[in-house]
Amino acid sequence: MTKDPAADSTDVYAFVSPDAPDTVTIIANYVPFQAPDGGPNFFEFGAKTVVGTAAPVGDDVLYQIHIDNTGSGIPSITYQFQFTTVITDPTTFLYATGPITYSSSSGYSATWNRRQTYTVTRIDTDPTTGQSTTTPISPPAGSGGAFACPPCNVGIRTTPNYASLSAPAVYRMSDGLIVFAGQRADGFFVDLGSIFDLGDLRPISSHQLVPGTNSPGINSLADANVHCIALQIPISSLTPDGAPLTMGANDPNAVIGVYTTANRQTVRMFDPTTGTYSGTGPYDQVSRLGSPLVNEVVVPMALKDFWNSQAPVNDSQFAAAVEHPELQNLLPVLYPGAFPNLAAYTKARADLVAIFATGIPGSVIGDAFGVGTYQGGKVIAEMLRLNMGIAPTSSDGTQAGTSNLGLLGNDLAGFPNGRRLTDDVVTIELMAVAGATIPLVDKTFTPDADVSVVNQGVTASPRSYQAGFPYLADPHGGFSNPPSTPAYNTNPEL
Amino acid sequence: MPNISRRHFLRNASIGAAATGVAAAGGLSLLTGVSGADAATPPKTTSPEGPVLDGSGVVAHVVDAKSGKISLFVGTKHIDYTNQALAQELLKATK
């Protein structure tokens, strides 16, 4: 899947919207590791391409956001997104032939040569009978009949005043649904260079099997962009009965499971006479994502593509990788002497099964937080689970009593209850695998003291976020990046 | 809909690979082209309706020439189809 970035689900976020707590925001990111200066084509969603007046050519990607609101492991609600790339002037190599502007009367200027539009469809399915209802969603009147992505942030000459270009791409429907799709700053923060170098954590590197010097972590994605599909959905549109929650976190309809997929047609053919690809056959699932890092560090490498093709309802076949995670065995080896209790723990990790595959039953955390009715999913199905009745908090440190460590920081509004943009999911999961969450299900276990110092040492970059929907900030500009460019130092907001 | 024979299909098909490879027939409705006499076993389809002629052509993947198992792809559909004679004919055409 890493060889197919357009279909590569990188991160999924689901949280009760902090500025609209009767809604849930779901963000699905694709096309990772975008260097902002990656011209001349820059970046886009997988799509058929229209050149001039010719028929669309190429193979495309079907992007989907799935919501299970019954605990069955089968999505009851699916939002589908399909994109079309339009090249207005086939005679130029330029992404734009002049500055791109936007006007409310005529939309984006004709100077923009390579642009994308998309369709949105909601499918409601009865998980018991399989019967479904398909509802195309139209953009608001006056939007030109199609949803439009904003341009990539090329630079100050091509995309001046970028905020004026991205704001019109936020579509607010009359039923409360808000939609955005396009390039944004990548809000995920992780020290890839350290973690995937045999599990090193820079803050405690001196204790590693191959010791280094302790230092803060490095955010590998601090200057990267990503392609984002974001929805803000009224909670009443997510419950099985179409009604708002009346019992808060204890409402029987409060918990949803969220995951995303990307699908490609079974057959991809290349026509050497025209230099074009075409797709034929059903849209098969080639990528999926729910909880962060499950695919990366729980699923064995040889099974990743297979795991990507499977529906969550079939995840019992992967249960062993969660119950006895490889990383649990590696930590005591990589940090000699630090995790003796973990090394001696041989039981199946029911805590990790709950976090990743069923949701944490209310009875487990209810004593401390008063959240007691959710019994967990009915089947093993890896998704990102969110109790929509838990009031939102900010994990950016500006609100007392909140924590970017979510549940491990006594902040139930954060991961693994959904995932906020600034939740430090890497540290949370490292601490969980190291044993921090075992006592939730096994009171006989005492976590090793060093669990408290497990930390990737990376902080979220404020540049990557904004206060309102879609919460991920405008993308980093091409002219001002990478950081070695002089403009980066004088104009870091770009 | 014209009744396209197996021979007609082969004449119009662009054979893409060997026995386990891919054959494509632009714009042809393969299922309507195979008469009952041609089919070694009745077609088994995963879709109740026939394939759609949408201009994208038909892709036939001979999964197993010996058993005659063929996967047909048209539009966004996948049809499992079994026809030993057709599979053997396609195999012969790749020689």
Side-chain angles (χ1 to χ4, degrees), chain A residues 265-267 269 278-284, chain B residues 22 24 56-57 59 73-78:
Chain A
Q265 289 184 276
T266 310
V267 181
M269 295 187 71
S278 62
T280 308
Y283 283 89
D284 300 318
Chain B
V22 171
S56 62
V59 176
F73 301 93
V74 59
T76 57
K77 295 182 184 301
H78 171 200

